[in-house]
Amino acid sequence: RVTILPHGSLRIVNASKSDEGRYLCQGVNVFGSAEIIASLSVKEPTRIELTPKKIELTVGESIVLSCKALHDSTLDVTFYWTLNGQPIDFEKEGGHFESIKAQASSADLMIRNILLMHAGRYGCRVQTAADTVSDETELLVRGPPGPPGVVIVEEITDNTATLSWSPGADNHSPIFLYNLQARSPFSLGWQTVKTVPDVITGDMESAMAVELNPWVEYEFRVVATNKIGTGDPSTPSRVIRTNEAVPKTPPANVSGRSGRRHELVIAWEPVSEEFQSGEGFGYIVAFRPNGTRGWKEKMVTSSDASKFIYRDESVPPLTPFEVKVGVYNNKGDGPFSPIVVICSAEGEPTAAPIDVKATSLSVSEILVAWKHIKESLGRPQGFEIGYWKDMEQEEAAEKVKTEGNESSILLTGLEGNTLYHLTVRAYNAAGYGPPSAAVRAATKKSPPSQAPSNIMWIQDGSHVSLGWEPVRPLANESDVMGYKVLFRQEGQSNSQVIETQKTSAVVLLPDVGVYIIEVCAVSEGGDGTASPQIRVPSFSGGKVTSAQSTLHVFSTSSSSVTLLLALMVPSTSW
């Protein structure tokens, strides 16, 4: 049990408490001796228990692994956790792992919201100053299936594709269903397709996608399902194109459109490329007068076409026709749309508006009014007004439109003191009718640019009497027709207005406060430039006596209001 090894070491097998003590090792040669003393302490062996021993969980569940240590009471213990032999990094595991140490001799490992990647061998290692022991437990995680293997397209027709694949990992829950999905340039992402067989069970590795559209590019993928859920899809297959076939989808919403006289305008919704079924796609437009037998057919070779116009001078307006539109491609002719009855065009308006009048309203506005002769054909949908300056050509006319049965329009944004020529003509979807005879109207001259000057006012209580010098317009400005006095309380935006043809006015200030007063000239071209603002206080209570009346003069030659004279005179003396 106790052996001295060749190099001088002492080996003790199956040590026990009786082996404790001080050991002396002595070396001797001809020159002398040397010795060393070692103390031996014998501790109880450490034992651990890791529970539970084997666990089966489902993705999303949580578990606590418990590791308990039986050890010598004189030794400290340290716990370490591993997964598949690698230390668990609690900082980098996204909060799934947490080490919990409630007592000195035990430790727990909390695993939250378990993922498939958390399956494996979990180890607990306990280390003391005297020994190291470890134990392991197996964690099996059940989850939705993994993605199936590569999808192979084995056979293609005009509306089917035969596919095969290899099964993916079942993640400890048997696969009982496969779902086949397809994507094309015309689909909104991946869509489940019909298959043969209708239900693809978990033991199958091939199926046929059916009811595909001819001459369309597809890619396919497979998704597996078990009792836990549906897994991730497989990698998409290579892109394939189904074979060509005769088209089966006729145009929708075949109808008539407005056109010129003697025209039959046939319109439809173009067939999407998804349903054209092959190259060389086009339309066959068939029509005949209502009540006749033979069809007249015309080919439209553009796949994007949405209209066909048939013109025949012998066709009266509003003649009813039976119409149908079919489809074709290089594989043959497809079906026609249902027959609808549409009428030939009634044509553009034929009569010009009458009694056209143009009235100048201001420096920038002219009101245009007209009448229109009612017609049985070529009914107008609105009117177009053209206008141009006297020195311009009619080709340079600006144009505005009305809609419906409007019989007047206000032209705005015109130049002042300018002569305009104006015409009116009706229009509809077929085109424009003839214009009316041109009429003329001149915009008003600009309003006076000079503001009323040398404003004088005297206040008697809440009454303010105003006077000013008359405004004299320039040669290219409108004559003065009168004046406006605008007044408002300070802080408000809406003004009250007093109109007068004199150069004086009396303003009643009804409420207490400071009032802002302005004066401007009035002309047929509009209001002129306003005078500088006057600030006048209004007092509450009794009437201000004549002794308190004060005459003020505002000179426009200065930017400031100047008090020139205080008079002790009655308020009515000026």
Side-chain angles (χ1 to χ4, degrees):
R1 197 176 68 83
V2 180
T3 306
I4 298 177
L5 301 179
H7 58 273
S9 295
L10 181 68
R11 181 173 65 189
I12 303 174
V13 179
N14 293 329
S16 64
K17 285 286 187 179
S18 63
D19 295 318
E20 288 185 331
R22 299 172 70 248
Y23 287 78
L24 183 144
C25 175
Q26 188 178 53
V28 179
N29 63 15
V30 295
F31 299 103
S33 64
E35 63 183 27
I36 187 172
I37 298 176
S39 295
L40 172 64
S41 297
V42 178
K43 304 295 184 180
E44 292 294 329
T46 302
R47 298 187 299 276
I48 66 170
E49 181 182 9
L50 178 59
T51 56
K53 277 301 177 187
K54 187 171 184 180
I55 318 112
E56 293 186 6
L57 296 175
T58 300
V59 168
E61 294 181 337
S62 300
I63 186 72
V64 175
L65 304 181
S66 180
C67 186
K68 296 181 179 179
L70 300 176
H71 61 92
D72 192 290
S73 60
T74 63
L75 298 176
D76 293 328
V77 295
T78 304
F79 292 85
Y80 300 93
W81 291 98
T82 63
L83 172 57
N84 295 325
Q86 299 299 317
I88 295 175
D89 188 340
F90 292 94
E91 299 296 328
K92 297 182 179 180
E93 291 296 336
H96 290 283
F97 295 101
E98 182 182 354
S99 178
I100 304 171
K101 191 174 180 182
Q103 299 177 358
S105 300
S106 65
D108 295 336
L109 175 64
M110 167 70 80
I111 312 174
R112 296 186 178 89
N113 192 21
I114 285 176
L115 305 177
L116 288 171
M117 61 184 291
H118 295 149
R121 294 177 292 106
Y122 283 83
C124 175
R125 187 175 86 248
V126 175
Q127 185 171 331
T128 70
D131 60 357
T132 299
V133 292
S134 61
D135 195 7
E136 287 188 342
T137 187
E138 185 80 15
L139 174 59
L140 184 147
V141 181
R142 295 185 299 267
V150 177
V151 179
I152 299 173
V153 183
E154 297 181 341
E155 185 178 352
I156 305 167
T157 69
D158 61 344
N159 60 3
T160 68
T162 302
L163 312 170
S164 65
W165 60 91
S166 57
D170 65 5
N171 291 324
H172 310 292
S173 179
I175 297 170
F176 68 84
L177 181 68
Y178 285 106
N179 181 261
L180 190 57
Q181 298 176 344
R183 178 172 65 182
S184 76
F186 312 104
S187 64
L188 297 175
W190 291 94
Q191 304 289 328
T192 299
V193 295
K194 292 187 176 181
T195 59
V196 173
D198 186 48
V199 177
I200 308 173
T201 57
D203 58 347
M204 300 179 66
E205 297 181 15
S206 66
M208 178 186 292
V210 298
E211 297 186 16
L212 306 177
N213 291 320
W215 200 240
V216 171
E217 290 184 340
Y218 287 96
E219 44 186 344
F220 300 92
R221 70 181 187 184
V222 179
V223 180
T225 301
N226 61 16
K227 289 184 178 180
I228 308 302
T230 298
D232 293 330
S234 67
T235 301
S237 71
R238 65 182 175 90
V239 177
I240 62 97
R241 184 187 284 273
T242 49
N243 298 335
E244 291 182 277
V246 174
K248 296 181 179 180
T249 304
N253 296 328
V254 177
S255 61
R257 293 288 187 271
S258 298
R260 296 186 178 278
R261 204 173 299 275
H262 309 299
E263 287 182 348
L264 175 65
V265 181
I266 303 167
W268 60 88
E269 287 185 10
V271 175
S272 165
E273 184 181 349
E274 182 180 7
F275 304 107
Q276 293 178 6
S277 301
E279 293 184 313
F281 182 85
Y283 302 95
I284 304 171
V285 182
F287 52 94
R288 64 187 178 187
N290 206 3
T292 61
R293 296 180 62 84
W295 290 94
K296 184 172 289 189
E297 293 186 351
K298 297 292 182 181
M299 306 286 284
V300 179
T301 58
S302 171
S303 61
D304 297 326
S306 61
K307 184 171 67 173
F308 173 76
I309 299 176
Y310 172 69
R311 183 171 181 82
D312 187 341
E313 296 291 338
S314 66
V315 175
L318 300 179
T319 300
F321 280 80
E322 290 183 312
V323 175
K324 60 182 180 179
V325 182
V327 290
Y328 72 91
N329 63 16
N330 290 346
K331 285 291 185 178
D333 295 348
F336 278 91
S337 64
I339 296 174
V340 297
V341 176
I342 63 177
C343 293
S344 60
E346 61 175 332
E348 63 277 6
T350 57
I354 61 173
D355 291 343
V356 179
K357 293 181 173 61
T359 306
S360 176
L361 298 184
S362 71
V363 68
S364 62
E365 298 173 325
I366 293 178
L367 177 65
V368 184
W370 62 88
K371 295 180 181 178
H372 183 71
I373 301 173
K374 291 186 178 180
E375 302 175 79
S376 58
L377 298 174
R379 290 165 292 185
Q381 295 176 349
F383 296 87
E384 181 186 78
I385 296 85
Y387 58 97
W388 63 98
K389 298 175 186 176
D390 187 42
M391 302 302 293
E392 296 177 341
Q393 298 296 319
E394 184 175 353
E395 290 73 18
E398 296 189 50
K399 296 177 174 63
V400 294
K401 285 185 176 181
T402 68
E403 293 184 359
N405 295 321
E406 297 289 338
S407 59
S408 65
I409 186 173
L410 180 63
L411 302 179
T412 60
L414 306 176
E415 289 189 18
N417 195 25
T418 303
L419 179 63
Y420 283 90
H421 299 262
L422 308 99
T423 61
V424 183
R425 61 176 178 172
Y427 71 88
N428 59 19
Y432 291 89
S436 66
V439 296
R440 300 191 303 171
T443 52
K444 307 292 186 182
K445 291 182 180 181
S446 300
S449 56
Q450 177 190 344
S453 60
N454 295 330
I455 300 176
M456 297 176 292
W457 75 96
I458 188 169
Q459 183 176 2
D460 186 3
S462 60
H463 290 78
V464 177
S465 299
L466 296 161
W468 57 88
E469 289 188 3
V471 173
R472 292 175 174 80
L474 302 176
N476 62 345
E477 295 177 343
S478 298
D479 293 335
V480 175
M481 301 167 59
Y483 297 90
K484 286 182 179 178
V485 178
L486 300 90
F487 61 99
R488 59 182 171 82
Q489 271 193 310
E490 190 173 44
Q492 295 184 355
S493 57
N494 296 327
S495 296
Q496 299 182 56
V497 178
I498 296 175
E499 295 191 11
T500 178
Q501 293 182 340
K502 301 178 181 180
T503 56
S504 62
V506 177
V507 178
L508 174 62
L509 308 181
D511 298 317
V512 176
V514 176
Y515 281 80
I516 307 298
I517 302 177
E518 298 173 288
V519 183
C520 67
V522 178
S523 72
E524 65 176 7
D527 294 345
T529 304
S531 67
Q533 294 180 348
I534 302 168
R535 294 167 52 86
V536 179
S538 175
F539 302 101
S540 62
K543 175 182 176 182
V544 178
T545 66
S546 61
Q548 297 171 306
S549 300
T550 304
L551 175 66
H552 304 264
V553 177
F554 185 87
S555 174
T556 57
S557 62
S558 172
S559 60
S560 62
V561 176
T562 306
L563 179 64
L564 296 182
L565 183 64
L567 299 178
M568 305 297 287
V569 298
S571 62
T572 57
S573 65
W574 68 282

